């Protein structure tokens, strides 16, 4: 009887140990390019949480901004949306295209801070 319980608990432990690393790998490490029909470059590296921690960015809206009827909604963010929900393949008026939205957002800050990659191959790592 005891043997069975111990085996059973052992089995649970094995599952827990397998489950934990499998799930910590879910953390975002690159920007999915599934919204581009024919991607020309390898996906850009971007270790979301680690990046924002090292870069000391606290405001989610710095990247996940929210616009309604063309107006910026101050103090609110849009992390439940994808950039592609508002930025299309081609820019419309003041709304940059999806590629430009990423490039402006990422590169402008790196240039301003004089820190972080600005060369193609540093983000689009083969
Ligand atoms: C700071 C990082 C960064 C740099 C530097 C950068 N990109 Fe990107 N680029 C991105 C991100 C993020 C996307 C969104 C999708 C992805 O991950 O590929 C993107 C998307 C693209 C796309 C559209 C998707 C595709 O693969 O067709 C192209 C084309 C592109 N970049 C080309 C370039 C070229 C050319 C350069 C250099 C002149 C460059 N990028 C520099 C981050 C960067
Ligand atoms: C430096 C820019 C940047 C900052 C700051 C940022 N994010 Fe993101 N985040 C992104 C990008 C880019 C994506 C990918 C969007 C896409 O694919 O359309 C993303 C995706 C996400 C996703 C969905 C994808 C996933 O698997 O995780 C969530 C949730 C998210 N961010 C939450 C947050 C929260 C909460 C904050 C603030 C604590 C935050 N982000 C700050 C750039 C940023
Ligand atoms: C709810 C819709 C919406 C979402 C989601 C959204 N954007 Fe935007 N974005 C806009 C609109 C609208 C504009 C044009 C603003 C203007 O009129 O100047 C814009 C402008 C921009 C600009 C140029 C000017 C500026 O404000 O910096 C960049 C860069 C940008 N977006 C990047 C991103 C990125 C990167 C994401 C995803 C992490 C994203 N956007 C998600 C609607 C959105
Ligand atoms: C508001 C400022 C800001 C924005 C927006 C931003 N970054 Fe950065 N990024 C930084 C800073 C600062 C560093 C340097 C951090 C350090 O290592 O000290 C950095 C570093 C990086 C690095 C080097 C490795 C790392 O993770 O530290 C990569 C890759 C990178 N950024 C990709 C991106 C991509 C892709 C985007 C757009 C989706 C982006 N960044 C948007 C500020 C920003």
């Amino acid at each position: 009887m005891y043997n069975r319980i111990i085996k059973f608990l052992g089995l649970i432990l094995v599952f827990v140990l397998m489950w934990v690393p499998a799930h910590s790998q879910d953390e975002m490490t690159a920007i999915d390019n599934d919204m581009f029909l024919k991607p020309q470059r390898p996906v850009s590296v971007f270790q979301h949480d680690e990046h924002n921690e090292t870069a000391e960015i606290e405001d989610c809206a710095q990247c996940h901004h929210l616009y309604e009827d063309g107006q910026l909604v101050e103090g609110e963010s849009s992390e439940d949306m994808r950039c592609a929900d508002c930025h299309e393949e081609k820019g419309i008026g003041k709304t940059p295209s999806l590629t430009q939205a990423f490039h402006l957002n990422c590169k402008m800050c790196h240039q301003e801070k004089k820190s972080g990659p600005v060369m193609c191959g540093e983000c689009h790592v083969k």
Side-chain angles (χ1 to χ4, degrees), residues 30-46 51 82 98-108 110 116-124:
I31 295 174
D32 203 338
N33 65 358
D34 58 353
M35 57 288 184
F36 292 98
L37 291 178
K38 274 197 223 149
Q40 295 160 32
R41 298 264 165 175
V43 286
S44 171
V45 286
F46 185 59
H51 172 276
R82 298 198 69 185
L98 185 58
T99 305
Q100 267 181 321
F102 280 117
H103 286 164
L104 283 171
N105 174 252
C106 312
K107 289 204 264 184
M108 274 201 330
H110 294 166
V118 289
M119 309 276 280
C120 316
E122 290 176 301
C123 285
H124 298 285

Side-chain angles (χ1 to χ4, degrees), residues 52-115:
N52 297 342
E53 223 166 273
T54 352
E56 294 172 355
I57 315 172
E58 264 141 39
D59 184 9
C60 308
Q62 183 105 35
C63 300
H64 299 282
H65 55 198
L66 182 64
Y67 278 89
E68 262 165 29
D69 305 323
Q71 296 295 312
L72 181 69
V73 187
E74 299 273 0
E76 279 189 50
S77 53
S78 61
E79 64 271 1
D80 54 339
M81 298 172 80
R82 298 198 69 185
C83 311
D85 289 341
C86 300
H87 294 275
E88 301 183 22
E89 195 189 338
K90 291 218 164 68
I92 300 167
K94 278 202 276 176
T95 314
S97 74
L98 185 58
T99 305
Q100 267 181 321
F102 280 117
H103 286 164
L104 283 171
N105 174 252
C106 312
K107 289 204 264 184
M108 274 201 330
C109 180
H110 294 166
Q111 265 156 359
E112 246 166 53
K113 297 246 159 95
K114 296 194 168 54
S115 186

